Amino acid sequence: MRIRATVAAVSGALALSALAVPAAHADADLDVPSAAEHFGTSSAKSTLRAAADELPVVTKVTINSGKAVAVGTTSAKNFTVSVTARHSTGIEDAYVVLWHGTAPTEEGLDGGLLPNEEVASCKASSATTSTCKLTFTAYPGYDLYKNALAGTWKVSVAALAGDGSVYGNDYHTTHKVQRYSKLTVNASPEPVKKGKTITVTGKLSRANWETGKYAGYTGQPVKLQFRKKSSSTYTTVKTIKTNSKGELKTTVKASVDGYYRYSFAGTTTTPAVNAAGDFIDVK
């Protein structure tokens, strides 16, 4: 089993390619063609210009509409990356790879996500500027084969101009790929008399890409929040930590009708999440 990924250095400019990296315990064959080869070696468009020549300028890269790529346990996550670039001769193509590891080399890579298309869909906004789009699909247990891949990924970006010049940078930006999170809440008893004690329980869990199941996220600070029935705004009552199973439990005094929820701010590896409010009827 193989996972696709990225990158090679060509003519002093870092640029994109195709690289196979191993999943779980599988061996992998490595193929590292240059960015020039990716854009077509049989054409003048494949030539990387000298560093002194004008290169395309990438002005914007948007990944998954600016949100972290959060992936669960079974369903593939589809997302889009758009690259806006400019050059005096226009922009013909762009290429993007998300990669994880210490360096974009055979020894340094341990994960990567390649676009579904060989050629980006580019739309010109002027004679010099275009926005090119590529789609990606991340498969838990395959592309994301271990939990240690959750966190900050590097993003390699290349842009091809009309005259054949190429901008390539394996460290153009970074983006988060995270283990999808879930959060529950239950406030009881209900109804409850004013001034009596309410027990609020819940659980914070996140995707385990190695087992294909959700597991409790331990030792995490989570806010207990409340909003009155007549309000649309939650306020924080207290902050508690999840136990060794990711469970939450605390008590409060009943005062007025309203909704209790737990709120988790998120970490580098796990997105923020709010539980749906649980209504308490105070008599």
Side-chain angles (χ1 to χ4, degrees):
M1 198 165 60
R2 298 175 187 174
I3 297 177
R4 303 165 301 167
T6 165
V7 296
V10 182
S11 302
L14 290 175
L16 304 177
S17 63
L19 169 64
V21 297
H25 304 287
D27 293 329
D29 298 325
L30 294 169
D31 181 21
V32 192
S34 69
E37 290 172 328
H38 171 77
F39 285 125
T41 53
S42 62
S43 166
K45 294 177 182 177
S46 67
T47 303
L48 284 170
R49 305 299 185 185
D53 291 346
E54 179 194 6
L55 296 178
V57 176
V58 174
T59 58
K60 187 177 182 181
V61 177
T62 302
I63 301 170
N64 194 36
S65 301
K67 299 177 291 185
V69 177
V71 183
T73 57
T74 56
S75 299
K77 172 67 175 181
N78 298 305
F79 62 97
T80 301
V81 176
S82 64
V83 177
T84 301
R86 68 173 185 267
H87 190 268
S88 60
T89 63
I91 299 296
E92 292 199 357
D93 197 3
Y95 198 65
V96 175
V97 175
L98 282 69
W99 61 275
H100 188 274
T102 57
T105 62
E106 178 181 345
E107 297 80 13
L109 281 172
D110 64 354
L113 296 169
L114 288 179
N116 297 325
E117 306 88 359
E118 286 296 321
V119 179
S121 174
C122 296
K123 183 177 181 180
S125 57
S126 71
T128 61
T129 303
S130 291
T131 297
C132 301
K133 293 185 178 182
L134 292 158
T135 64
F136 288 72
T137 304
Y139 293 91
Y142 180 62
D143 294 308
L144 305 174
Y145 61 96
K146 63 179 180 179
N147 294 327
L149 292 175
T152 301
W153 286 48
K154 286 86 171 178
V155 181
S156 300
V157 177
L160 173 67
D163 68 350
S165 59
V166 174
Y167 164 86
N169 187 347
D170 291 331
Y171 299 85
H172 183 88
T173 187
T174 60
H175 200 75
K176 287 184 174 60
V177 178
Q178 298 179 318
R179 297 161 61 181
Y180 191 81
S181 55
K182 295 181 178 181
L183 186 56
T184 63
V185 66
N186 182 57
S188 64
E190 46 189 321
V192 63
K193 290 184 179 180
K194 185 176 181 179
K196 294 295 184 181
T197 298
I198 299 170
T199 300
V200 187
T201 58
K203 184 173 183 178
L204 174 65
S205 58
R206 59 176 177 166
N208 186 319
W209 294 332
E210 298 170 17
T211 65
K213 299 178 181 180
Y214 281 84
Y217 196 6
T218 65
Q220 298 303 308
V222 178
K223 294 178 181 179
L224 174 66
Q225 298 183 327
F226 177 76
R227 72 173 176 90
K228 295 180 180 180
K229 182 180 179 180
S230 59
S231 173
S232 60
T233 303
Y234 278 95
T235 58
T236 298
V237 178
K238 63 174 75 174
T239 299
I240 63 173
K241 285 190 174 183
T242 57
N243 66 12
S244 60
K245 296 181 180 179
E247 298 169 337
L248 296 155
K249 185 176 181 179
T250 190
T251 59
V252 293
K253 295 293 184 180
S255 56
V256 296
D257 291 355
Y259 298 83
Y260 284 95
R261 75 174 185 185
Y262 281 117
S263 178
F264 174 59
T267 62
T268 299
T269 62
T270 310
V273 61
N274 293 320
D278 187 24
F279 181 72
I280 286 289
D281 181 14
V282 179
K283 299 296 187 180

